[in-house]
Amino acid sequence: MIHADPSDRAPLGDLAVPAVTAHPDETLRAPANRMAQHDVTRLVVVTRGERPRVEDIISLRHLLAARRIDLHEEHHAERVLSLRPRRTPAPAPATS
């Protein structure tokens, strides 16, 4: 619509392009792939069904924030798992 000719009297529906959407029940991977496929940085989040309802907008910034949290959790888990095992005391010599 931004690049439409002002003298063009076409109905608004003819100028509009369908929005690229996401659904609230999707993992973040699906909207991220859709953003890349359509070369957009925001998606409209809509409910599924006959009459979809707009729930929110998800942006590239949201995806990056979620990924940052995942990376932090992965790093924390790696640190916890890489702790040195406790040394067990040597067994006491047997007495006869």
Side-chain angles (χ1 to χ4, degrees), residues 14-36:
D14 292 349
L15 299 175
V17 175
V20 182
T21 61
H23 301 286
D25 59 347
E26 291 182 306
T27 63
L28 291 177
R29 182 178 304 244
N33 289 340
R34 211 168 292 128
M35 283 181 183

Side-chain angles (χ1 to χ4, degrees), residues 13-65:
D14 292 349
L15 299 175
V17 175
V20 182
T21 61
H23 301 286
D25 59 347
E26 291 182 306
T27 63
L28 291 177
R29 182 178 304 244
N33 289 340
R34 211 168 292 128
M35 283 181 183
Q37 180 182 7
H38 294 279
D39 194 27
V40 296
T41 58
R42 291 186 180 97
L43 299 178
V44 178
V45 180
V46 296
T47 58
R48 295 186 188 268
E50 281 186 37
R51 300 188 59 163
R53 189 178 75 243
V54 174
E55 292 283 315
D56 210 339
I57 293 177
I58 186 168
S59 68
L60 188 56
R61 182 181 301 260
H62 294 119
L63 294 177
L64 293 175

